[in-house]
Amino acid sequence: MTPLFSTCTGCSHPAIKAARQCKAAMALANDGRTGEAETLLKTAMGGLRRAGMPMMKAKILNSLALVYAQQGMHLRARRCLSSSLRIVASRVGTDNWLYARIASNRDSLAA
């Protein structure tokens, strides 16, 4: 199986662009550059507004929540995770690894 990113190097499809931005943002966050990561994730989210790709939106919300958590913004993180969970539940239900992973992220946040 060929990875999605290598098949479309110059592609500007909103999902591929958002996925690349999300991956780059998480690398920034892992390097402690959470402000830049937050900006990039918000840019990725903006690019999806017209595309209507809810599962990609759920992924970005999860990533944004992780960045917010790193910044100590637990209420914002919880809101993003709750929104992400609603999207996942409405699209693929609650009995799956993705829902469980996002719920675990939400449950691990400080109150």
Side-chain angles (χ1 to χ4, degrees):
M1 177 177 241
T2 304
L4 178 65
F5 296 134
S6 68
T7 61
C8 190
T9 55
C11 188
S12 63
H13 189 279
I16 292 173
K17 187 174 182 179
R20 285 185 178 146
Q21 289 171 318
C22 191
K23 183 176 181 177
M26 294 317 293
L28 288 169
N30 289 336
D31 286 341
R33 298 164 58 190
T34 56
E36 293 172 69
E38 179 183 350
T39 300
L40 190 53
L41 288 166
K42 287 180 177 179
T43 300
M45 186 69 77
L48 290 177
R49 287 203 200 318
R50 291 179 298 272
M53 295 179 209
M55 293 303 288
M56 181 58 70
K57 182 178 178 181
K59 177 178 179 24
I60 293 170
L61 283 168
N62 183 63
S63 296
L64 188 56
L66 297 175
V67 170
Y68 283 148
Q70 282 182 306
Q71 295 172 330
M73 296 187 227
H74 298 288
L75 183 58
R76 283 187 184 183
R78 187 174 306 283
R79 287 179 183 155
C80 287
L81 291 168
S82 293
S83 293
S84 184
L85 285 171
R86 282 192 298 276
I87 292 168
V88 172
S90 71
R91 295 293 174 172
V92 295
T94 60
D95 189 23
N96 57 73
W97 68 269
L98 180 59
Y99 188 91
R101 180 62 160 276
I102 297 168
S104 174
N105 288 342
R106 185 192 59 192
D107 296 343
S108 69
L109 288 172

